[in-house]
Amino acid sequence: MENFEPVLLANIHRPDSHTLAAYEATGGYQTLRRALRELSPAQVVDEVRRSGLRGRGGAGFPTGLKWSFLPADHPGPIYLCVNADESEPGTFCNRVLMELDPHQVLEGTILSAYATRATTAYIYLRYEYPLALRRLQAAIDEAYAAGYLGKNILGSNFSLDVYIHRGAGAYICGEETGLIESIEGKRAWPRSKPPFPAVEGLFRKPTVVNNVETLACVKHIVERGADWFRTIGVPPAPDDPRDPGSFGPKLFCISGHVNRPGCYEAPLGISCRELIEKFGGGVWKGRRAKAVVPGGLSTGLLSADELDVPMDFVGPVQKGCLGLGTGGVIVMDETYPIIEFLHNSCRFFAHESCGQCTPCREGTSWALQIVRRIKAGRGRLVDLDLLLEIADNIGIIPGTTICGLADGAAWPMKTAIRKFREELEDYIKRTNPTGYKIRRPVPALDNGTCSQKGSSVSFQA
């Protein structure tokens, strides 16, 4: 951290940082000029591949490898989809880039389109980002006027058109094939794979889908080189042949019970504790952390004694989390009840499940009903085992669903119950002292109203 120099957020505090004039004043679009003049598309792909850049949208798939899946002899068209949906709870790093430095995003998009031979790019924008919409559209208009977009960009043979497509606020559209279906005007149901989008994507043509932060990194890789990018972050684990390393800078969003919530840039591999203390200003009100979401709600929970974990693509996995995710860190202090976290996460994923896959549709719904009953004072100890059974049997990882939404729903349940079981059992015993040992099926919540009285819950018809 001592020698780290932010690059992705370097310009956001400059006056009018969202304008073309401010961006060009810092050398903006000079990398594009040089690439079009000196580099072939294959050379750009090779540089990105050598850099070890992994997707910042959650999955962490190597970007250059993803680009190489495009068929080399395809006559076109080839499409580039920019995933700006950003609906993972706790995540707002793409929003910062689009609102405060949209031309950096555009230059990365243009360079990526050049590398992949795409002639049309669609920016799939979260509907709840009205300022990002205005700033991006103004930046696109400025780029067209300056010759950075359109036909024969900067006198080269490369042409590119960029369009903004607004989503309708559905979490499922963050999944790349759900996003593609939405752009095509269909219900955003993720597609079964294969074929993968690189072979058959948007309008059944080869398509690359990358998120905003990933494409912003491409700009700096082409500008400074793959070797520079690999000096930041964490090299591959010597005992894990499947680990390609975690290289480059990363945007981390810190929210929840901290003194300075916000979006911060740090090298991959920084510890979760250092993120909270150095950037977040520590836990608020002089309290201690009880649990931390390391990378957006779907990644699950770290306990207080796991906060020294490195925030790279491997670290959170070693502590039982789904992965680094988007880098959206949510801090919960020692007074926050884990049952509230469990209820909020189950409610979110049950609402956002598209319903295409039965295990996800039914599993998220039944998990929410069980947690609601526990929260209302009718919980049983066996309910925690039922929730774990649901969580262990839905998702791509057990092979029961098309997309990873169910995995995202499962990991908050798995980590909350396995790491905080004692607290959850105590809650059940306190709120249902006469029924927590029951193992037989119990009635669902009725339509009456429920009122809390001390440590027990009473129901009134």
Side-chain angles (χ1 to χ4, degrees):
M1 279 298 302
E2 290 78 7
N3 301 318
F4 178 73
E5 175 190 353
V7 290
L8 297 171
L9 301 182
N11 299 323
I12 65 170
H13 299 295
R14 297 178 184 272
D16 300 319
S17 63
H18 59 281
T19 64
L20 178 61
Y23 187 65
E24 288 182 325
T26 62
Y29 290 111
Q30 292 303 313
T31 302
L32 175 63
R33 290 180 182 275
R34 182 180 67 82
L36 293 179
R37 185 175 62 250
E38 301 176 5
L39 302 175
S40 68
Q43 287 176 308
V44 177
V45 172
D46 183 63
E47 194 73 6
V48 172
R49 190 167 185 173
R50 284 200 315 110
S51 74
L53 172 65
R54 296 172 66 172
R56 277 21 181 181
F61 193 82
T63 302
L65 179 61
K66 190 176 194 178
W67 290 359
S68 69
F69 294 155
L70 291 167
D73 56 351
H74 195 279
I78 294 173
Y79 295 102
L80 172 64
C81 292
V82 182
N83 190 341
D85 189 61
E86 194 167 53
S87 46
E88 179 71 24
T91 309
F92 44 90
C93 48
N94 292 347
R95 177 183 181 180
V96 171
L97 290 175
M98 292 185 290
E99 291 181 354
L100 299 178
D101 202 354
H103 281 284
Q104 179 185 196
V105 176
L106 271 186
E107 186 171 12
T109 299
I110 299 167
L111 286 165
S112 301
Y114 175 67
T116 57
R117 297 171 287 120
T119 54
T120 304
Y122 291 94
I123 301 176
Y124 191 95
L125 180 64
R126 177 182 173 92
Y127 190 86
E128 296 89 340
Y129 284 178
L131 179 57
L133 171 67
R134 294 194 296 271
R135 293 276 173 87
L136 274 174
Q137 190 58 62
I140 290 170
D141 295 341
E142 287 181 318
Y144 270 109
Y148 299 128
L149 287 174
K151 299 293 182 183
N152 304 115
I153 294 173
L154 299 175
S156 70
N157 293 325
F158 174 59
S159 301
L160 176 68
D161 289 310
V162 175
Y163 304 96
I164 298 176
H165 184 103
R166 298 183 77 184
Y171 178 79
I172 196 65
C173 292
E175 197 277 337
E176 61 181 12
T177 58
L179 179 152
I180 287 170
E181 291 283 297
S182 179
I183 293 177
E184 292 181 352
K186 303 173 188 173
R187 184 174 183 173
W189 273 6
R191 296 175 181 174
S192 296
K193 298 174 280 290
F196 291 92
V199 176
E200 189 175 299
L202 185 63
F203 308 124
R204 302 297 171 180
K205 300 296 183 181
T207 304
V208 170
V209 184
N210 287 124
N211 102 312
V212 167
E213 185 184 345
T214 307
L215 298 183
C217 286
V218 169
K219 183 262 185 186
H220 298 285
I221 291 169
V222 178
E223 177 182 347
R224 303 182 182 216
D227 293 335
W228 161 80
F229 195 79
R230 293 179 70 90
T231 64
I232 304 169
V234 181
D239 56 346
D240 186 356
R242 296 179 298 175
D243 177 23
S246 301
F247 297 108
K250 178 75 182 77
L251 298 185
F252 293 96
C253 306
I254 306 176
S255 60
H257 298 157
V258 292
N259 290 307
R260 292 196 303 267
C263 180
Y264 302 96
E265 183 177 353
L268 282 166
I270 186 175
S271 74
C272 186
R273 190 182 305 278
E274 189 174 1
L275 273 175
I276 296 169
E277 297 296 333
K278 181 179 178 63
F279 295 105
V283 182
W284 69 350
K285 301 180 181 180
R287 296 173 181 168
R288 295 173 296 176
K290 173 190 283 188
V292 174
V293 172
L297 182 62
S298 63
T299 58
L301 284 178
L302 294 170
S303 63
D305 58 358
E306 295 174 330
L307 298 186
D308 291 314
V309 62
M311 295 292 283
D312 57 27
F313 290 103
V314 175
V317 177
Q318 294 176 338
K319 299 300 181 181
C321 293
L322 183 56
L324 177 67
T326 58
V329 177
I330 308 172
V331 179
M332 287 159 273
D333 71 22
E334 57 193 336
T335 68
Y336 189 80
I338 293 299
I339 187 65
E340 295 291 343
F341 169 82
L342 197 58
H343 178 250
N344 287 335
S345 60
C346 288
R347 181 174 57 181
F348 175 81
F349 287 107
H351 180 269
E352 295 297 339
S353 174
C354 76
Q356 182 178 193
C357 303
T358 303
C360 180
R361 180 185 68 245
E362 298 300 319
T364 56
S365 175
W366 278 105
L368 176 59
Q369 292 184 57
I370 293 171
V371 173
R372 277 179 173 165
R373 181 165 48 75
I374 294 173
K375 194 167 181 288
R378 294 188 183 180
R380 307 166 301 159
L381 295 181
V382 71
D383 288 334
L384 299 179
D385 296 318
L386 289 174
L387 288 170
L388 285 176
E389 184 177 350
I390 292 172
D392 288 335
N393 287 282
I394 59 175
I396 285 180
I397 293 178
T400 61
T401 59
I402 291 172
C403 88
L405 185 146
D407 298 279
W411 251 262
M413 288 192 284
K414 291 180 181 181
T415 53
I417 295 171
R418 288 177 174 145
K419 296 181 181 183
F420 297 93
R421 181 155 191 150
E422 184 176 350
E423 177 182 331
L424 293 170
E425 287 185 351
D426 181 66
Y427 179 88
I428 292 171
K429 291 175 182 178
R430 284 190 297 105
T431 56
N432 190 17
T434 61
Y436 70 86
K437 292 183 179 179
I438 294 174
R439 298 190 62 86
R440 65 177 183 272
V442 295
L445 290 179
D446 54 33
N447 294 323
T449 59
C450 131
S451 62
Q452 191 87 19
K453 293 184 178 179
S455 62
S456 63
V457 174
S458 64
F459 292 84
Q460 300 170 340

